Amino acid sequence: KSRPDALKGRYTTESEQPLATRPAVPARIVRQTKFDIGYELDNVGASGISQVELFITQDDGAHWWRYGADEDRQSPFAVEVPLQGTYGFAIRVQSGAGLANEPPENGAAPEMNVIVDQTGPLAELLAVKPLNGTEGTQLLIRWRVSDKHPSGAPVSLSYAVNEQGPWIPITGWQADEREFAWKVGSQVPAKVFIKLDARDAAGNITSIMSEEAIAID
């Protein structure tokens, strides 16, 4: 069976300890528990393909079980898992004549990993304060962001006159430098709210807003 409810008892919220160190397995990070796994079939013989099976592990290959068979035997293979976490996969193909590789044995490394991440980053605005200088009005915005699977450009800043917005960008998505010196333009109102958006590689976003309006002096 390929239904996730038939396998739910086999899943755990945390993976067991990984096996001994070995070459890294390609991984894809997604936010949804439903996703597709693509595959390509080469050297198909005259008897054709009778079955494409998917095997799954949640402990880096220490234990494997059969997820199911691809009914149409054409890429991609639709997969659904019940929990966030790291899942390893291996595909086995059987020819029309019954020739096939053996299923992965316990201890075998996955062919690929999919990380399901539905948890947003931890984010905190630390300070928003005037910055002394000769280049006009500036605010120094400081923050802290952490995540297990960070995005390459995980932080953006914006401002608004009230808590409901609309929010006007201060920066686009940028590297996490932990602080930003904002050169405040003349069109910015006398008091504004500051918002920090933090995103991870899966696309989860956490938004943090200043507790009160910041005076622009």
Side-chain angles (χ1 to χ4, degrees), residues 166-181:
W167 293 95
I168 300 172
I170 297 174
T171 71
W173 291 105
Q174 62 176 21
D176 182 11
E177 301 290 346
R178 300 187 180 183
E179 66 179 29
F180 180 79

Side-chain angles (χ1 to χ4, degrees), residues 76-93:
F77 200 122
V79 176
E80 181 178 1
V81 295
L83 302 168
Q84 65 176 345
T86 300
Y87 300 87
F89 296 95
I91 285 181
R92 295 293 183 266
V93 181

Side-chain angles (χ1 to χ4, degrees), residues 6 11 125 175 206:
Y11 291 96
L125 268 176
T206 299

Side-chain angles (χ1 to χ4, degrees), residues 12-13 33 58 81-87 116-119:
T12 59
T13 55
T33 54
Q58 202 191 353
V81 295
L83 302 168
Q84 65 176 345
T86 300
Y87 300 87
V116 179
D117 181 359
Q118 297 178 315
T119 303

